[in-house]
Amino acid sequence: MLPQHVDHLVIGAGFAGIGAAIKLAEDGEHDVLVVEKGPDVGGTWRDNTYPGAACDVPSQLYSFSFAPNSDWSMSFSPQPEIQAYLQRVARDSGVLDRFVFDTTVEEARWDDGQQRWRVTTDRGVVLARTLISGAGGLSEPKLPDIDGIAGFQGELFHSARWDHDVDLAGKRVAVIGTGASAIQIVPELARTVAHLDVYQRTAPYVIPRNDRRYTRLERALFARFPALQKLYRTAIYWGRETYVPGFTLEPRLALPAKLLARHNLHRAVSDPELRARLTPTFEIGCKRILISNDYYPALAEDHVDLVTDRITKVTGDAVVTADGTERPVDVLVVATGFHTTDQPIAHHVIGRDGRSLAETWAEGGMAAYKGTTVHGFPNYFQIVGPNTGLGHSSMVFVIESQLAYLRDALRTMRTHRYATVEPRLDEQERWNADLQRRMQRTVWNTGGCSSWYLDEHGRNTVLWPRTTVDLRRRLARFDPPAYELSAARNDRVPA
Ligand code: NAP
């Protein structure tokens, strides 16, 4: 049974939802409900179980600052370890009793009369004072729109919905896509399948993955001296931050990474024709820089083919390319990314004037104030909101920065007995105009590539165009002057 009303309803039980529940509890906010559509915590780390799934941000940084883990086995943790970490953090922090699983939010509608969010789930309706979305930017798989693909008779699945019942040994397998997911999948498949076709539309930059196993001594030292682990984490953080000027100010500053990627390719692939097809034609950083030691070597294997001709259609048992070649396939893996600038949750959150977030954003693209609150949507906080994404560092850092802002907003509401907070339209517009002005200089806009950072209008509504230090500073305090604030019309919680 769901409660009829709560103070705070959180959508999603990934890093954002778990972090929100923990931090709100620290502030004495215990009337919290976390609604999760899946059967467990973990979010994207629960869903992405494909072979080779691992984080491409070092684990020491890709974890909560308040829940360090001295037990990471590798510098880049495999997915099962991250999932186990999230399960453990949620359990040990004592907040799991606030979570409901296998429950889908169908609609969250602001009721201005009651100053509450009316959240309709497939298991009942809950009224909530604040709505916190931690639904995630990479949660809804994007399937490729390829002629005939619906009629494919073999096995077909998306990288984020891996079908572990399908035995790939000895099969002819095709992977569509060469993004961060695909380059982890391809080397693993190459070890088991009879033949692998990798369909590449755009060649990515791939630099070496400096992965290594932590020694027992290192792990013991991290456990014994938390300050040492913190220092290590800080060093990784600043190392990552050095990418920012090359991304946001002057692409030439990213030359060392470009040379590294070129070296990585030349070392692994000796065939000049294959090398040429694997050489990116855009500025480094425009798309996510990928890390792998075994992707290029896998492509150089005899039973693996890189296909760069455009896919024209999929038949019942083959993929057909523009040159007329038909390549038979038993299993088709689509590693074609996620709905990022058209997030499904946006269709389900309905604001003060009866319009959904998706409708509000239809013309100008996703926009929020400080990536967190949205005009027309009182008491709504979106963790990993518009323009809070990173191409170079840990999203957990961003999530914690946004949670600090949320907490201060709630503190302010408590102290001043505000019933609602909603960013002023002029402040939100100023924030976004400044962001987009800044964005003009970034490699994501000027680097000559198309990417999932850009929406249908060509606007980058996904990434943060400054340092993360800057983001953290701007989110450190809630800023009432930028908000419309209202007192409670009625202190009684409506039934
Ligand atoms: P992605 O980066 O969006 O890559 C999708 C790939 O599919 C691209 O190569 C794209 O080609 C290709 N593609 C899409 N539609 C296609 C079509 N119709 N025909 C042919 N090719 C098509 O998706 P992803 O690899 O799942 O990664 C998404 C994000 O998830 C990453 O950028 C990263 O932020 C995150 N991620 C992180 C990790 C990690 O280790 N932390 C691992 C995996 C993913 P184009 O390049 O030409 O568009």
Side-chain angles (χ1 to χ4, degrees):
M1 268 291 280
L2 297 184
Q4 285 187 327
H5 47 76
V6 293
D7 274 345
H8 312 292
L9 189 138
V10 182
I11 305 175
F15 266 102
I18 296 170
I22 294 172
K23 289 295 156 188
L24 292 184
E26 279 178 19
D27 289 348
E29 299 275 6
H30 297 292
D31 194 12
V32 174
L33 182 71
V34 182
V35 179
E36 167 56 54
K37 66 175 162 34
D40 195 359
V41 298
T44 195
W45 295 104
R46 178 201 60 219
D47 292 342
N48 283 272
T49 60
Y50 59 76
C55 191
D56 59 9
V57 175
S59 330
Q60 301 292 346
L61 187 59
Y62 197 84
S63 43
F64 287 121
S65 63
F66 54 84
N69 177 21
S70 55
D71 278 338
W72 295 121
S73 67
M74 311 282 295
S75 38
F76 295 95
S77 300
Q79 172 269 337
E81 268 185 52
I82 303 173
Q83 173 63 359
Y85 167 78
L86 286 171
Q87 287 168 328
R88 182 172 58 72
V89 170
R91 191 183 58 237
D92 293 355
S93 59
V95 294
L96 261 187
D97 60 345
R98 275 145 236 186
F99 287 57
V100 288
F101 297 101
D102 297 313
T103 307
T104 301
V105 170
E106 291 168 347
E107 181 187 272
R109 183 178 286 272
W110 176 253
D111 181 332
D112 217 26
Q114 300 193 339
Q115 295 177 310
R116 294 286 185 281
W117 282 97
R118 186 176 192 83
V119 183
T120 306
T121 76
D122 55 358
R123 292 179 53 201
V125 177
V126 185
L127 294 181
R129 251 181 350 106
T130 65
L131 179 67
I132 301 157
S133 174
L138 300 172
S139 65
E140 190 65 24
K142 193 170 185 173
L143 299 171
D145 185 15
I146 299 173
D147 186 26
I149 198 164
F152 180 64
Q153 299 294 307
E155 304 287 350
L156 184 155
F157 46 86
H158 187 274
S159 53
R161 300 287 182 271
W162 198 267
D163 186 344
H164 292 275
D165 291 337
V166 176
D167 181 12
L168 297 166
K171 298 265 173 64
R172 292 188 67 97
V173 179
V175 174
I176 299 180
T178 52
S181 302
I183 66 138
Q184 294 184 335
I185 293 167
V186 165
E188 296 297 320
L189 293 188
R191 289 189 187 108
T192 28
V193 306
H195 183 85
L196 182 62
D197 288 323
V198 179
Y199 288 88
Q200 171 188 282
R201 197 163 63 177
T202 313
Y205 283 96
V206 185
I207 60 173
R209 176 190 180 92
N210 294 319
D211 205 5
R212 69 179 182 86
R213 188 164 281 284
Y214 286 120
T215 63
R216 204 177 301 172
L217 176 65
E218 278 173 307
R219 291 199 260 166
L221 286 172
F222 286 152
R224 178 78 182 80
F225 305 106
L228 185 69
Q229 189 173 13
K230 203 167 168 186
L231 195 68
Y232 192 62
R233 176 185 165 103
T234 307
I236 295 170
Y237 170 79
W238 285 109
R240 291 262 152 177
E241 214 59 0
T242 59
Y243 276 98
V244 177
F247 287 170
T248 63
L249 294 174
E250 175 51 69
R252 275 177 295 184
L253 294 172
L255 184 64
K258 200 169 176 172
L259 295 176
L260 197 60
R262 192 178 298 167
H263 174 68
N264 199 29
L265 174 59
H266 279 236
R267 194 177 45 177
V269 179
S270 53
D271 173 5
E273 191 268 335
L274 179 59
R275 217 187 249 173
R277 289 192 292 137
L278 286 169
T279 302
T281 54
F282 54 89
E283 204 51 72
I284 193 163
C286 185
K287 282 174 178 288
R288 190 179 181 89
I289 301 174
L290 308 182
I291 59 165
S292 177
N293 296 336
D294 48 10
Y295 177 63
Y296 286 144
L299 291 178
E301 288 192 43
D302 288 343
H303 70 302
V304 180
D305 285 338
L306 180 78
V307 184
T308 47
D309 291 309
R310 192 171 53 84
I311 300 173
T312 49
K313 66 174 174 183
V314 172
T315 66
D317 61 358
V319 178
V320 184
T321 44
D323 61 345
T325 308
E326 194 168 326
R327 292 180 178 81
V329 57
D330 305 314
V331 182
L332 190 50
V333 176
V334 291
T336 43
F338 299 86
H339 288 274
T340 52
T341 54
D342 54 342
Q343 296 179 8
I345 189 70
H347 293 274
H348 303 280
V349 178
I350 320 287
R352 193 166 27 77
D353 63 1
R355 289 195 311 158
S356 67
L357 273 174
E359 286 165 333
T360 308
W361 290 339
E363 261 177 42
M366 296 196 297
Y369 177 64
K370 297 197 169 179
T372 311
T373 52
V374 185
H375 179 74
F377 296 77
N379 296 2
Y380 174 69
F381 298 86
Q382 185 164 333
I383 310 300
V384 191
N387 291 109
T388 59
L390 304 177
H392 70 290
S393 190
S394 170
M395 282 309 293
V396 185
F397 184 90
V398 173
I399 288 169
E400 287 192 42
S401 306
Q402 288 191 277
L403 290 178
Y405 190 73
L406 163 72
R407 292 169 78 185
D408 203 40
L410 298 182
R411 259 181 237 129
T412 307
M413 290 174 79
R414 270 198 310 274
T415 309
H416 298 280
R417 295 183 61 77
Y418 296 135
T420 66
V421 296
E422 178 187 337
R424 286 173 26 199
L425 184 59
D426 58 336
E427 291 288 346
Q428 183 174 308
E429 286 177 348
R430 203 183 350 259
W431 172 267
N432 285 290
D434 177 55
L435 265 181
Q436 291 304 328
R437 213 175 13 254
R438 178 84 184 186
M439 205 62 90
Q440 298 310 315
R441 295 179 66 172
T442 67
V443 70
W444 311 308
N445 280 39
T446 63
C449 77
S450 71
S451 74
W452 60 262
Y453 305 146
L454 307 180
D455 67 13
E456 53 179 349
H457 314 290
R459 278 162 61 102
N460 186 336
T461 54
V462 171
L463 293 184
W464 172 246
R466 293 185 164 88
T467 63
T468 60
V469 182
D470 189 309
L471 180 72
R472 177 146 291 193
R473 189 178 54 77
R474 287 167 194 251
L475 287 168
R477 306 289 304 175
F478 182 66
D479 40 353
Y483 282 78
E484 290 162 14
L485 308 156
S486 77
R489 292 201 192 102
N490 181 350
D491 273 340
R492 188 176 56 85
V493 174

